[in-house]
Protein backbone atom coordinates (compact mmCIF):
# COMPACT_ATOMS: atom_id res chain seq x y z
CA UNK A 1 0.00 0.00 0.00
CA UNK A 2 1.21 3.50 -0.82
CA UNK A 3 2.63 5.56 1.98
CA UNK A 4 0.70 8.36 3.59
CA UNK A 5 2.23 11.82 3.53
CA UNK A 6 1.08 14.88 5.43
CA UNK A 7 1.65 18.42 4.25
CA UNK A 8 0.63 21.81 5.49
CA UNK A 9 0.54 22.78 9.12
CA UNK A 10 2.84 25.52 10.30
CA UNK A 11 2.66 28.30 12.84
CA UNK A 12 -0.36 30.43 13.68
CA UNK A 13 -1.59 32.64 16.46
CA UNK A 14 -4.34 31.50 18.78
CA UNK A 15 -7.73 31.85 17.13
CA UNK A 16 -6.31 31.20 13.68
CA UNK A 17 -6.89 28.38 11.22
CA UNK A 18 -4.78 25.80 9.47
CA UNK A 19 -5.38 22.90 7.12
CA UNK A 20 -3.25 19.79 6.99
CA UNK A 21 -3.58 17.49 4.01
CA UNK A 22 -2.71 13.85 3.77
CA UNK A 23 -1.79 12.37 0.42
CA UNK A 24 -3.49 8.98 0.48
CA UNK A 25 -3.39 7.31 -2.93
CA UNK A 26 -5.34 4.07 -2.84
CA UNK A 27 -7.06 4.92 0.42
CA UNK A 28 -9.60 7.64 -0.39
CA UNK A 29 -12.93 6.27 -1.51
CA UNK A 30 -11.91 2.78 -0.45
CA UNK A 31 -12.64 0.55 2.54
CA UNK A 32 -10.31 2.23 4.99
CA UNK A 33 -10.79 3.92 8.29
CA UNK A 34 -8.51 6.92 8.22
CA UNK A 35 -7.55 8.81 11.30
CA UNK A 36 -5.92 12.01 12.37
CA UNK A 37 -3.75 11.94 15.48
CA UNK A 38 -1.57 14.41 17.29
CA UNK A 39 1.28 14.13 19.68
CA UNK A 40 2.74 16.65 22.08
CA UNK A 41 6.39 16.20 23.09
CA UNK A 42 6.60 13.75 25.96
CA UNK A 43 2.99 12.65 25.59
CA UNK A 44 1.31 9.72 23.95
CA UNK A 45 -0.20 10.04 20.53
CA UNK A 46 -3.89 10.97 20.81
CA UNK A 47 -6.71 10.64 18.34
CA UNK A 48 -8.24 13.76 16.82
CA UNK A 49 -10.78 12.28 14.44
CA UNK A 50 -11.58 9.68 11.84
CA UNK A 51 -13.16 9.37 8.43
CA UNK A 52 -14.43 6.23 6.77
CA UNK A 53 -12.97 6.70 3.32
CA UNK A 54 -15.75 4.84 1.51
CA UNK A 55 -18.67 7.18 2.02
CA UNK A 56 -16.91 9.89 3.99
CA UNK A 57 -18.57 9.57 7.41
CA UNK A 58 -16.50 11.47 9.94
CA UNK A 59 -16.17 11.81 13.67
CA UNK A 60 -13.93 13.96 15.88
CA UNK A 61 -13.13 13.90 19.57
CA UNK A 62 -14.95 16.21 21.95
CA UNK A 63 -11.93 18.45 22.59
CA UNK A 64 -11.96 19.62 18.96
CA UNK A 65 -15.65 19.33 18.17
CA UNK A 66 -17.04 22.49 16.54
CA UNK A 67 -13.47 23.58 15.72
CA UNK A 68 -11.94 20.80 13.61
CA UNK A 69 -13.44 18.77 10.83
CA UNK A 70 -12.25 16.19 8.34
CA UNK A 71 -12.91 15.97 4.62
CA UNK A 72 -11.54 14.10 1.63
CA UNK A 73 -11.09 14.71 -2.06
CA UNK A 74 -11.25 11.37 -3.83
CA UNK A 75 -10.18 12.81 -7.17
CA UNK A 76 -6.95 14.14 -5.67
CA UNK A 77 -6.48 11.28 -3.19
CA UNK A 78 -6.32 13.72 -0.31
CA UNK A 79 -7.71 13.74 3.21
CA UNK A 80 -7.86 17.05 5.03
CA UNK A 81 -7.91 18.11 8.64
CA UNK A 82 -9.44 21.56 8.89
CA UNK A 83 -8.53 23.30 12.13
CA UNK A 84 -10.24 26.50 13.27
CA UNK A 85 -10.18 28.57 16.45
CA UNK A 86 -6.81 27.06 17.25
CA UNK A 87 -5.52 27.09 20.81
CA UNK A 88 -1.95 26.76 22.10
CA UNK A 89 -2.82 23.31 23.42
CA UNK A 90 -3.53 22.22 19.84
CA UNK A 91 0.20 22.48 19.12
CA UNK A 92 1.96 19.25 18.28
CA UNK A 93 2.84 16.87 15.51
CA UNK A 94 -0.17 15.75 13.51
CA UNK A 95 -0.29 12.38 11.79
CA UNK A 96 -2.66 10.75 9.36
CA UNK A 97 -3.10 7.01 9.53
CA UNK A 98 -5.23 4.25 8.03
CA UNK A 99 -6.28 0.64 8.33
CA UNK A 100 -8.45 -1.57 6.17
CA UNK A 101 -12.06 -1.92 7.34
CA UNK A 102 -14.78 -3.66 5.31
CA UNK A 103 -17.81 -1.54 4.51
CA UNK A 104 -20.14 -3.79 6.51
CA UNK A 105 -18.14 -2.75 9.59
CA UNK A 106 -17.84 0.92 8.75
CA UNK A 107 -19.62 1.88 11.97
CA UNK A 108 -16.45 0.83 13.79
CA UNK A 109 -14.70 3.86 12.30
CA UNK A 110 -15.71 5.99 15.24
CA UNK A 111 -13.57 7.84 17.79
CA UNK A 112 -15.29 5.94 20.58
CA UNK A 113 -14.37 2.55 19.13
CA UNK A 114 -11.10 2.68 17.22
CA UNK A 115 -7.72 2.57 18.95
CA UNK A 116 -4.32 3.87 17.92
CA UNK A 117 -3.06 0.31 17.59
CA UNK A 118 -5.69 -0.47 14.95
CA UNK A 119 -3.95 1.76 12.44
CA UNK A 120 -1.27 0.06 10.35
CA UNK A 121 -0.28 2.80 7.93
CA UNK A 122 1.13 6.13 9.11
CA UNK A 123 2.44 9.34 7.64
CA UNK A 124 5.59 11.08 8.81
CA UNK A 125 3.78 13.88 10.63
CA UNK A 126 3.28 17.62 10.21
CA UNK A 127 4.11 20.21 12.83
CA UNK A 128 1.53 22.65 14.13
CA UNK A 129 2.49 25.46 16.48
CA UNK A 130 -0.11 27.75 17.97
CA UNK A 131 1.18 30.77 19.85
CA UNK A 132 -0.81 32.67 22.44
Amino acid sequence: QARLAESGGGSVQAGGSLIISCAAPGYTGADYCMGWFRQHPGNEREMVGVIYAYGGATDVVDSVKDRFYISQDNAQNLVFLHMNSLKPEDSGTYYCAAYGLPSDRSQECDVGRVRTGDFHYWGQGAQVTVSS
Side-chain angles (χ1 to χ4, degrees), residues 15-73:
S17 299
L18 285 172
I19 300 173
I20 304 175
S21 61
C22 174
Y27 295 91
T28 54
D31 293 355
Y32 286 92
C33 180
M34 300 197 66
W36 283 101
F37 295 79
R38 65 186 180 190
Q39 187 168 20
H40 309 289
N43 291 356
E44 291 187 359
R45 198 166 294 186
E46 64 176 1
M47 186 177 301
V48 175
V50 295
I51 179 169
Y52 188 67
Y54 185 75
T58 66
D59 192 22
V60 296
V61 297
D62 287 345
S63 62
V64 303
K65 204 172 290 281
D66 298 327
R67 299 189 300 122
F68 292 13
Y69 68 95
I70 299 170
S71 67
Q72 66 177 357
D73 183 327

Coordinates of all heavy atoms in Angstrom, one line a residue, residues 15-73:
G15 N -6.5 31.4 17.8 CA -7.7 31.8 17.1 C -7.7 31.7 15.6 O -8.7 31.8 14.9
G16 N -6.5 31.4 15.1 CA -6.3 31.2 13.7 C -6.7 29.8 13.2 O -7.2 29.0 13.9
S17 N -6.5 29.6 11.9 CA -6.9 28.4 11.2 C -5.7 27.8 10.4 O -4.9 28.5 9.9 CB -8.1 28.6 10.3 OG -9.2 29.1 11.0
L18 N -5.7 26.5 10.3 CA -4.8 25.8 9.5 C -5.5 24.6 8.8 O -6.4 24.1 9.4 CB -3.6 25.3 10.3 CG -2.5 26.3 10.7 CD1 -1.6 25.7 11.7 CD2 -1.8 26.9 9.6
I19 N -4.9 24.1 7.7 CA -5.4 22.9 7.1 C -4.2 22.0 6.9 O -3.2 22.5 6.3 CB -6.1 23.2 5.8 CG1 -7.3 24.1 6.0 CG2 -6.5 21.8 5.1 CD1 -8.0 24.5 4.7
I20 N -4.3 20.8 7.3 CA -3.3 19.8 7.0 C -3.9 18.8 6.0 O -5.0 18.4 6.1 CB -2.8 19.0 8.2 CG1 -2.3 20.0 9.3 CG2 -1.7 18.0 7.9 CD1 -2.0 19.3 10.6
S21 N -3.1 18.5 5.0 CA -3.6 17.5 4.0 C -2.8 16.2 4.1 O -1.6 16.3 4.6 CB -3.5 18.0 2.6 OG -2.2 18.4 2.2
C22 N -3.4 15.1 3.7 CA -2.7 13.8 3.8 C -2.9 13.2 2.4 O -4.0 13.0 2.0 CB -3.3 13.0 4.8 SG -2.7 11.3 4.9
A23 N -1.8 13.1 1.7 CA -1.8 12.4 0.4 C -2.0 10.9 0.7 O -1.2 10.3 1.4 CB -0.5 12.6 -0.3
A24 N -3.1 10.3 0.1 CA -3.5 9.0 0.5 C -3.9 8.2 -0.8 O -5.1 7.8 -0.9 CB -4.6 9.0 1.5
P25 N -3.0 8.0 -1.7 CA -3.4 7.3 -2.9 C -3.7 5.9 -2.6 O -3.0 5.2 -1.9 CB -2.1 7.4 -3.8 CG -1.0 7.7 -2.9 CD -1.6 8.5 -1.7
G26 N -4.9 5.4 -3.1 CA -5.3 4.1 -2.8 C -6.2 3.9 -1.6 O -6.8 2.9 -1.4
Y27 N -6.3 5.0 -0.8 CA -7.1 4.9 0.4 C -8.4 5.6 0.3 O -9.4 5.1 0.7 CB -6.3 5.6 1.6 CG -5.0 4.9 2.0 CD1 -3.8 5.2 1.4 CD2 -5.0 3.9 2.9 CE1 -2.6 4.6 1.7 CE2 -3.8 3.3 3.3 CZ -2.6 3.6 2.7 OH -1.5 3.0 3.0
T28 N -8.4 6.8 -0.3 CA -9.6 7.6 -0.4 C -10.6 6.9 -1.3 O -10.3 6.3 -2.3 CB -9.3 9.0 -1.0 OG1 -8.6 8.9 -2.2 CG2 -8.5 9.8 0.0
G29 N -11.9 6.9 -0.8 CA -12.9 6.3 -1.5 C -12.9 4.8 -1.4 O -13.8 4.1 -2.0
A30 N -12.0 4.2 -0.6 CA -11.9 2.8 -0.4 C -12.3 2.4 1.0 O -12.5 3.2 1.8 CB -10.5 2.3 -0.8
D31 N -12.2 1.1 1.2 CA -12.6 0.5 2.5 C -11.5 0.7 3.6 O -10.9 -0.3 4.0 CB -13.0 -0.9 2.4 CG -14.3 -1.1 1.6 OD1 -14.9 -0.1 1.2 OD2 -14.6 -2.3 1.3
Y32 N -11.3 1.9 4.0 CA -10.3 2.2 5.0 C -10.9 3.2 6.0 O -11.6 4.1 5.7 CB -9.1 2.9 4.4 CG -8.2 1.9 3.6 CD1 -8.4 1.8 2.3 CD2 -7.2 1.2 4.3 CE1 -7.5 0.9 1.6 CE2 -6.4 0.3 3.6 CZ -6.6 0.2 2.2 OH -5.8 -0.7 1.5
C33 N -10.6 2.9 7.3 CA -10.8 3.9 8.3 C -9.5 4.8 8.4 O -8.4 4.2 8.6 CB -11.1 3.2 9.6 SG -11.4 4.4 11.0
M34 N -9.7 6.0 8.2 CA -8.5 6.9 8.2 C -8.6 7.8 9.4 O -9.7 8.3 9.7 CB -8.4 7.7 6.9 CG -8.3 6.9 5.7 SD -7.7 7.8 4.3 CE -6.0 8.2 4.8
G35 N -7.5 8.0 10.1 CA -7.5 8.8 11.3 C -6.5 9.9 11.3 O -5.6 9.9 10.6
W36 N -6.9 10.9 12.1 CA -5.9 12.0 12.4 C -5.6 11.9 13.9 O -6.4 11.8 14.7 CB -6.5 13.4 12.1 CG -6.5 13.7 10.6 CD1 -7.6 13.6 9.7 CD2 -5.4 14.2 9.8 NE1 -7.2 14.0 8.5 CE2 -5.9 14.4 8.5 CE3 -4.1 14.5 10.1 CZ2 -5.1 14.8 7.5 CZ3 -3.3 14.9 9.1 CH2 -3.8 15.1 7.8
F37 N -4.3 12.0 14.1 CA -3.8 11.9 15.5 C -2.8 13.1 15.7 O -2.3 13.7 14.8 CB -2.9 10.6 15.7 CG -3.8 9.4 15.6 CD1 -4.1 8.9 14.3 CD2 -4.2 8.7 16.7 CE1 -4.9 7.7 14.2 CE2 -4.9 7.6 16.6 CZ -5.3 7.1 15.4
R38 N -2.6 13.4 17.0 CA -1.6 14.4 17.3 C -0.8 14.0 18.5 O -1.3 13.2 19.3 CB -2.2 15.8 17.5 CG -3.1 15.9 18.8 CD -3.8 17.2 18.8 NE -4.7 17.4 19.9 CZ -5.5 18.4 20.1 NH1 -5.6 19.4 19.2 NH2 -6.3 18.4 21.2
Q39 N 0.4 14.5 18.6 CA 1.3 14.1 19.7 C 2.0 15.4 20.2 O 2.7 16.1 19.4 CB 2.3 13.0 19.2 CG 3.1 12.5 20.4 CD 3.8 11.2 19.9 OE1 4.0 10.9 18.8 NE2 4.2 10.4 20.9
H40 N 2.0 15.6 21.5 CA 2.7 16.6 22.1 C 4.0 16.0 22.6 O 4.0 14.9 23.0 CB 2.0 17.3 23.2 CG 0.6 17.7 22.9 ND1 0.3 18.8 22.1 CD2 -0.6 17.2 23.2 CE1 -1.0 18.9 21.9 NE2 -1.6 17.9 22.6
P41 N 5.1 16.8 22.6 CA 6.4 16.2 23.1 C 6.2 15.6 24.5 O 5.7 16.3 25.4 CB 7.3 17.4 23.1 CG 6.8 18.3 22.0 CD 5.3 18.1 22.1
G42 N 6.7 14.4 24.7 CA 6.6 13.8 26.0 C 5.3 13.1 26.3 O 5.1 12.4 27.3
N43 N 4.3 13.2 25.4 CA 3.0 12.7 25.6 C 2.7 11.5 24.6 O 3.4 11.4 23.6 CB 1.9 13.7 25.5 CG 1.9 14.7 26.6 OD1 2.7 14.6 27.5 ND2 1.1 15.7 26.5
E44 N 1.7 10.8 24.9 CA 1.3 9.7 24.0 C 0.5 10.3 22.8 O 0.0 11.4 22.9 CB 0.4 8.7 24.7 CG 1.2 7.9 25.7 CD 0.3 6.8 26.2 OE1 -0.9 6.7 25.8 OE2 0.8 6.0 27.1
R45 N 0.6 9.6 21.7 CA -0.2 10.0 20.5 C -1.7 9.9 20.9 O -2.2 8.9 21.4 CB 0.2 9.2 19.3 CG -0.2 9.7 18.0 CD 0.5 8.9 16.9 NE 2.0 9.1 17.0 CZ 2.8 8.6 16.0 NH1 2.3 7.9 15.0 NH2 4.1 8.8 16.2
E46 N -2.5 11.0 20.5 CA -3.9 11.0 20.8 C -4.7 11.2 19.5 O -4.3 11.8 18.6 CB -4.2 12.1 21.8 CG -4.0 13.5 21.3 CD -4.4 14.5 22.3 OE1 -4.9 14.2 23.4 OE2 -4.3 15.7 22.0
M47 N -5.8 10.6 19.5 CA -6.7 10.6 18.3 C -7.4 12.0 18.3 O -7.8 12.5 19.3 CB -7.7 9.5 18.4 CG -8.6 9.4 17.1 SD -9.7 8.0 17.2 CE -8.6 6.7 17.4
V48 N -7.5 12.5 17.1 CA -8.2 13.8 16.8 C -9.6 13.5 16.1 O -10.6 14.0 16.5 CB -7.4 14.7 16.0 CG1 -8.2 16.0 15.6 CG2 -6.1 15.1 16.7
G49 N -9.5 12.6 15.2 CA -10.8 12.3 14.4 C -10.5 11.2 13.4 O -9.4 10.8 13.2
V50 N -11.6 10.7 12.8 CA -11.6 9.7 11.8 C -12.5 10.0 10.7 O -13.5 10.8 10.8 CB -11.9 8.3 12.4 CG1 -10.9 7.8 13.5 CG2 -13.3 8.3 13.0
I51 N -12.3 9.3 9.6 CA -13.2 9.4 8.4 C -13.2 8.0 7.8 O -12.1 7.4 7.6 CB -12.7 10.5 7.4 CG1 -13.7 10.5 6.2 CG2 -11.3 10.3 6.9 CD1 -13.5 11.7 5.3
Y52 N -14.4 7.5 7.5 CA -14.4 6.2 6.8 C -14.4 6.6 5.3 O -15.3 7.3 4.8 CB -15.7 5.4 7.1 CG -15.6 4.1 6.5 CD1 -14.7 3.1 6.9 CD2 -16.5 3.7 5.4 CE1 -14.6 1.9 6.3 CE2 -16.4 2.5 4.8 CZ -15.5 1.6 5.3 OH -15.4 0.3 4.7
A53 N -13.3 6.2 4.7 CA -13.0 6.7 3.3 C -14.0 6.3 2.3 O -14.2 7.1 1.3 CB -11.6 6.2 2.9
Y54 N -14.7 5.2 2.4 CA -15.8 4.8 1.5 C -17.1 5.4 2.0 O -17.7 4.8 2.9 CB -15.8 3.3 1.4 CG -16.8 2.9 0.3 CD1 -16.6 3.0 -1.0 CD2 -18.1 2.4 0.7 CE1 -17.5 2.6 -2.0 CE2 -19.0 2.0 -0.3 CZ -18.7 2.1 -1.6 OH -19.6 1.7 -2.5
G55 N -17.4 6.5 1.5 CA -18.7 7.2 2.0 C -18.4 8.5 2.7 O -19.2 9.4 2.6
G56 N -17.3 8.6 3.4 CA -16.9 9.9 4.0 C -17.5 10.2 5.3 O -17.4 11.4 5.8
A57 N -18.1 9.3 6.1 CA -18.6 9.6 7.4 C -17.4 9.9 8.3 O -16.4 9.3 8.3 CB -19.3 8.4 8.0
T58 N -17.6 11.0 9.1 CA -16.5 11.5 9.9 C -16.9 11.6 11.4 O -18.1 11.6 11.7 CB -16.0 12.8 9.5 OG1 -17.1 13.8 9.7 CG2 -15.6 12.8 8.0
D59 N -15.9 11.6 12.3 CA -16.2 11.8 13.7 C -14.9 12.4 14.3 O -13.8 12.1 13.8 CB -16.4 10.5 14.3 CG -17.0 10.6 15.7 OD1 -17.5 11.7 16.1 OD2 -16.9 9.6 16.5
V60 N -15.1 13.4 15.2 CA -13.9 14.0 15.9 C -14.1 13.9 17.4 O -15.2 13.7 17.9 CB -13.7 15.4 15.5 CG1 -13.4 15.6 14.0 CG2 -14.9 16.3 15.8
V61 N -13.0 14.0 18.1 CA -13.1 13.9 19.6 C -13.7 15.2 20.1 O -13.7 16.2 19.5 CB -11.7 13.6 20.2 CG1 -11.2 12.3 19.7 CG2 -10.7 14.7 19.9
D62 N -14.2 15.1 21.4 CA -15.0 16.2 22.0 C -14.1 17.5 22.1 O -14.6 18.6 22.0 CB -15.5 15.8 23.3 CG -16.7 14.9 23.2 OD1 -17.2 14.7 22.2 OD2 -17.0 14.2 24.3
S63 N -12.8 17.3 22.3 CA -11.9 18.4 22.6 C -11.8 19.3 21.4 O -11.4 20.5 21.5 CB -10.6 18.0 23.1 OG -9.9 17.2 22.1
V64 N -12.1 18.8 20.2 CA -12.0 19.6 19.0 C -13.3 19.8 18.2 O -13.3 20.4 17.2 CB -10.9 19.0 18.0 CG1 -9.6 18.9 18.7 CG2 -11.4 17.7 17.4
K65 N -14.3 19.2 18.8 CA -15.6 19.3 18.2 C -16.0 20.8 18.0 O -15.8 21.6 18.9 CB -16.7 18.6 19.0 CG -17.9 18.1 18.2 CD -18.8 17.2 19.0 CE -18.2 15.9 19.3 NZ -18.3 15.0 18.1
D66 N -16.6 21.1 16.9 CA -17.0 22.5 16.5 C -15.9 23.4 16.1 O -16.1 24.5 15.8 CB -17.8 23.2 17.7 CG -19.1 22.5 18.0 OD1 -19.7 21.9 17.1 OD2 -19.5 22.5 19.2
R67 N -14.6 22.8 16.2 CA -13.5 23.6 15.7 C -12.7 22.9 14.6 O -12.2 23.5 13.6 CB -12.5 23.8 16.9 CG -13.0 24.6 18.0 CD -12.0 25.0 19.0 NE -11.3 23.8 19.6 CZ -10.0 23.6 19.5 NH1 -9.2 24.5 18.9 NH2 -9.4 22.5 20.1
F68 N -12.6 21.6 14.6 CA -11.9 20.8 13.6 C -13.0 20.0 12.8 O -14.0 19.5 13.4 CB -10.9 19.8 14.2 CG -9.8 20.4 14.9 CD1 -9.7 21.8 15.2 CD2 -8.7 19.6 15.3 CE1 -8.6 22.3 15.9 CE2 -7.6 20.1 15.9 CZ -7.5 21.5 16.2
Y69 N -12.7 19.8 11.6 CA -13.4 18.8 10.8 C -12.6 18.1 9.8 O -11.5 18.7 9.4 CB -14.7 19.4 10.2 CG -14.5 20.4 9.1 CD1 -14.5 20.0 7.8 CD2 -14.3 21.8 9.4 CE1 -14.4 21.0 6.8 CE2 -14.2 22.7 8.4 CZ -14.2 22.3 7.1 OH -14.0 23.3 6.1
I70 N -13.0 17.0 9.3 CA -12.3 16.2 8.3 C -13.0 16.1 7.0 O -14.2 16.0 7.0 CB -12.0 14.8 8.9 CG1 -11.2 14.9 10.2 CG2 -11.3 13.9 7.9 CD1 -11.1 13.5 11.0
S71 N -12.3 16.2 5.9 CA -12.9 16.0 4.6 C -11.9 15.2 3.7 O -10.8 15.0 4.1 CB -13.3 17.3 4.0 OG -12.1 18.1 3.7
Q72 N -12.4 14.8 2.6 CA -11.5 14.1 1.6 C -11.9 14.5 0.2 O -13.0 14.9 -0.1 CB -11.6 12.6 1.8 CG -12.9 12.0 1.4 CD -12.9 10.4 1.5 OE1 -11.9 9.8 1.8 NE2 -14.1 9.8 1.3
D73 N -10.9 14.4 -0.6 CA -11.1 14.7 -2.1 C -10.6 13.5 -2.8 O -9.4 13.2 -2.9 CB -10.3 15.9 -2.5 CG -10.5 16.3 -3.9 OD1 -10.7 15.4 -4.8 OD2 -10.4 17.5 -4.2

